[in-house]
Amino acid sequence: MTLNLKLIVFYDNWCPMCTYIKQRINRLDWCNLIQMQGIRESGIENKITVPLEELEKKMYAVIKSTGKQVSGIDAITAIAMRIPVLFPLWPLLKLSSSLGLGQKIYQYIADNRSIVPINKCDSSCHIK
């Protein structure tokens, strides 16, 4: 049964907010259903058919058993469905996605996040 629930999540590992969320997901994923994959790692083009330019704009997730790809708020919804403590949020996320509001909020957040390339941060950076 868990084979059908496995999810690969593609996140921007140059984004401090994204890496923080990845760490939280890893801590809460008690059932080991979610595999996090940084989009800045070599060979990423062999793991998902979405171009890097699109992966840089929003989070993508692939359901392992079917190969179905979801993005943005739908990726967040897929994650919430697989993490027991986040499951109560699933109906709200699904409804917001269906109404179109969730994707707009997600895109606003994604468009306003910071990107810090690895080894490109100078002494003024304050990333923890």
Side-chain angles (χ1 to χ4, degrees):
M1 176 169 167
T2 59
L3 178 64
N4 294 335
L5 295 176
K6 294 241 179 205
L7 188 71
I8 303 172
V9 176
F10 294 87
Y11 74 100
D12 192 340
N13 45 326
W14 282 1
C15 167
M17 179 178 64
C18 302
T19 54
Y20 174 76
I21 291 170
K22 173 218 178 244
Q23 292 168 354
R24 300 296 296 201
I25 288 170
N26 284 343
R27 277 192 217 124
L28 296 172
D29 183 22
W30 305 322
C31 301
N32 294 317
L33 296 175
I34 301 171
Q35 175 188 336
M36 301 297 289
Q37 177 69 55
I39 65 166
R40 308 296 181 164
E41 297 171 13
S42 64
I44 194 68
E45 63 279 352
N46 299 324
K47 297 179 181 180
I48 188 168
T49 59
V50 177
L52 181 60
E53 296 78 30
E54 287 301 311
L55 292 171
E56 291 173 333
K57 293 178 186 175
K58 59 185 167 183
M59 178 188 300
Y60 277 80
V62 177
I63 301 167
K64 277 184 146 183
S65 63
T66 64
K68 180 181 178 187
Q69 297 177 0
V70 293
S71 65
I73 194 66
D74 296 323
I76 300 292
T77 304
I79 291 168
M81 187 173 105
R82 288 159 174 84
I83 296 180
V85 297
L86 297 180
F87 188 75
L89 297 175
W90 183 84
L92 179 63
L93 291 168
K94 192 68 172 169
L95 178 63
S96 72
S97 175
S98 298
L99 296 175
L101 182 63
Q103 192 61 33
K104 288 179 183 180
I105 293 170
Y106 175 89
Q107 200 58 55
Y108 176 80
I109 293 168
D111 290 344
N112 290 291
R113 64 195 168 93
S114 299
I115 305 295
V116 181
I118 296 173
N119 298 325
K120 303 292 184 198
C121 186
D122 61 20
S123 61
S124 65
C125 291
H126 300 289
I127 299 172
K128 295 180 182 180

